[in-house]
Amino acid sequence: MATSSHQSTGSEEGTDQPSNGDQHQVVSGEGQAGRDESSPATDRVAESFDGTGSSGEIEAAAGFDASRAASESVPFQAPDAQDELKPAEVSAYADPETVCGSDDRVRISPANAVPWRFICQLIITMPNGAGYRGTGWFIGPRAVMTAGHCVYSRADGGWARRIEVIPGMDGAARPYGSAIGTSFRSVIGWTKNGDQNFDYGCIILPTPLGNTTGYFGFASLSDASFNNLLLNNSGYAGDKPFGTQWFNAGRVSSINSRKVYYMLDTFGGQSGSPVWRLANGQRHAVGIHAYGGCPNSATRINSEVFNNMYAWRSL
Amino acid sequence: MQSIEGQLLTIAESWPLQLTVQPTDQGPPWSVRVGDDTLISLRGNSVQASALRNGQRLRASGILYGAERLQAQTIEVF
C-alpha cells in the first residue's frame, strides 16, 4: 500500500521516486498490501461506528433546503465524457458574491450528534510556524482522515509540526475535548510529487478518542454508483465564526478515476472534510474534500485510497 | 513587496487558502496564501475569496516567504 508517514520521533518519508502509476507505493515500510484497480466494478465498504453515544439521501440538518439541493444540479458527466475538467471561463464569474451558485450552507449546532461529532476542527502548525485551519474526520479509534495538504505542505517545510484535533467543535464548546497529533500519514503522490489527485492524509492520535465519538465508514464506489449520487459535506469553514461546523449537500457533477467534482458550497478551512453518501441509514465517505474553484472537488476514495484508509483505521 | 501575474490553477481549501498560480512568464508555479487580511478585487470591485475560480488570471502582491511563495496582501482578478 502506498503510504508515506511522519512521526515526531519516528520514521521520515522514504526516498523512492515512484512512477506516475505507483504514487500510492509504500515508502515508509508500513501497511504493505496488494494493489487493486482504481475504479472498481463493484462497491467496497468499511462500516461506520456510531460511538458510545440508493442514490443517496441528504442528512437531516435544521434549516437546510434538501429539496432544492436534490434538484439543483448540473448533468452528471461520467469519466468517458470528461477525464479532466477544463478551467472555467471568465464569463462564468458574473456573480462574484456566490460560493457555487447561492450559498445555502447551514450551521450545525450543537455538533455532538452523529455524524457531526465524527468531524473535527483542525488547528495546524507547520514546520515554518505557519498556521492553518482545516477539517478532519474519524475513520477509526485513533485515525483522523484529512487532506494531504493539511498534514504535509512543501511550501511550509514538509510535515506538520503538530495538529490539534477538536471533534464536534461548536464555537466555544468542545464536547469531546481535543487531542494533539504529531504522527501523520500520506502518500508519495502528494508528498513527493504534489499531485492533487493524491491529496489525502491521516492523523494518528496518541489516544483512541474515536472510540468515544464514533467514526465514519467509507466506500470505494464503482463509476455507476456515482451516477447522480447525492453527496453530503460538512466542515469548519474559514469565512464563518471560528470553530463552527457548516453543512451542505447536492449531487455529484462528474468523476474521474481519482477525483469527485460537485457544486456543493465549501470554503477555505473545509479542506479534509468528508464527502459522504447516506443510504438506508448507512454513512460511507466516498471522498476527501480538498479543492475549491467551482466545481469543488474531493480526492476520490478509489480502491488504492480505500486500502490505505483501511490500514490506517487500525493503527 | 513582490508581485506575480498568472493563471490560477488550484485553490486548496485550508484556511488561509493556498493558491497555485502559474506565472505568465512561465517558470515554476507559485504558492500564494490568501487570508483574512487579503484584499481581493474582481474587475475593480471588492469581492470575497469565494469569488476565486480555477482558470482566472490574476495579479497577487504581497510578501515573499520563500522561493515562489507569497503571502498575498492584494489580489486583482482580471
Side-chain angles (χ1 to χ4, degrees):
Chain A
M1 214 149 356
T3 66
S4 62
S5 69
H6 169 77
Q7 301 181 53
S8 58
T9 57
S11 61
E12 294 291 338
E13 65 181 274
T15 55
D16 295 345
Q17 182 63 41
S19 67
N20 284 338
D22 292 328
Q23 298 194 82
H24 293 276
Q25 188 179 354
V26 172
V27 289
S28 66
E30 298 184 21
Q32 298 280 354
R35 294 190 55 189
D36 291 319
E37 294 179 12
S38 292
S39 301
T42 56
D43 300 342
R44 299 173 64 204
V45 298
E47 297 302 338
S48 62
F49 168 60
D50 286 348
T52 53
S54 82
S55 63
E57 304 155 25
I58 293 176
E59 294 281 357
F64 186 73
D65 188 344
S67 60
R68 174 179 160 171
S71 60
E72 186 180 71
S73 67
V74 294
F76 176 74
Q77 293 181 283
D80 288 345
Q82 180 176 341
D83 285 332
E84 296 292 341
L85 291 179
K86 295 182 174 63
E89 298 297 331
V90 173
S91 59
Y93 316 137
D95 185 359
E97 299 305 321
T98 60
V99 178
C100 284
S102 59
D103 183 359
D104 55 358
R105 292 173 291 173
V106 297
R107 179 174 172 178
I108 300 299
S109 181
N112 58 0
V114 172
W116 322 116
R117 69 189 189 206
F118 304 162
I119 301 168
C120 313
Q121 169 84 70
L122 303 183
I123 301 174
I124 303 158
T125 305
M126 288 297 177
N128 64 356
Y132 291 96
R133 283 183 262 153
T135 300
W137 39 288
F138 278 97
I139 58 169
R142 299 197 307 139
V144 178
M145 202 65 197
T146 187
H149 66 260
C150 289
V151 299
Y152 185 96
S153 170
R154 189 182 305 177
D156 292 301
W159 293 104
R161 184 185 302 160
R162 70 197 292 272
I163 299 179
E164 184 175 11
V165 176
I166 312 167
M169 188 175 188
D170 181 31
R174 298 182 176 208
Y176 306 98
S178 70
I180 305 293
T182 57
S183 177
F184 310 115
R185 300 290 185 277
S186 188
V187 293
I188 51 182
W190 176 249
T191 61
K192 289 289 188 187
N193 301 342
D195 185 338
Q196 67 166 282
N197 289 313
F198 300 86
D199 192 346
Y200 67 101
C202 191
I203 305 161
I204 309 300
L205 296 177
T207 56
L209 188 53
N211 279 342
T212 303
T213 62
Y215 40 83
F216 271 103
F218 47 91
S220 171
L221 300 184
S222 66
D223 289 349
S225 293
F226 273 102
N227 189 17
N228 287 320
L229 182 64
L230 278 169
L231 300 173
N232 297 272
N233 172 261
S234 197
Y236 288 89
D239 62 334
K240 303 294 188 183
F242 174 63
T244 58
Q245 191 181 130
W246 292 80
F247 170 78
N248 201 242
R251 293 194 189 278
V252 63
S253 53
S254 66
I255 58 170
N256 63 32
S257 63
R258 302 195 186 282
K259 299 275 287 188
V260 180
Y261 296 91
Y262 38 79
M263 298 296 279
L264 279 67
D265 300 323
T266 61
F267 197 77
Q270 289 184 242
S271 262
S273 58
V275 176
W276 74 91
R277 175 184 70 172
L278 173 64
N280 303 317
Q282 297 293 310
R283 295 176 182 86
H284 295 104
V286 297
I288 304 118
H289 174 74
Y291 292 90
C294 293
N296 302 325
S297 64
T299 305
R300 178 176 174 179
I301 300 177
N302 59 26
S303 291
E304 291 156 336
V305 176
F306 181 97
N307 287 343
N308 285 334
M309 291 174 65
Y310 200 82
W312 293 340
R313 83 182 313 198
S314 300
L315 293 177
Chain B
M1 190 81 119
Q2 178 81 29
S3 291
I4 175 181
E5 187 171 322
Q7 184 175 34
L8 178 52
L9 298 181
T10 65
I11 305 170
E13 287 204 316
S14 54
W15 187 253
L17 296 169
Q18 299 175 77
L19 313 183
T20 304
V21 177
Q22 179 62 55
T24 304
D25 58 2
Q26 299 306 310
W30 281 54
S31 177
V32 177
R33 230 166 27 199
V34 177
D36 289 315
D37 54 353
T38 304
L39 302 175
I40 306 174
S41 63
L42 173 58
R43 297 186 208 105
N45 298 315
S46 179
V47 296
Q48 306 216 349
S50 57
L52 295 171
R53 298 286 186 273
N54 298 330
Q56 286 173 328
R57 302 203 71 79
L58 55 80
R59 180 186 299 114
S61 301
I63 299 167
L64 285 175
Y65 67 101
E68 292 95 34
R69 289 156 201 165
L70 188 76
Q71 174 70 50
Q73 296 178 334
T74 64
I75 291 180
E76 300 171 71
V77 180
F78 306 126

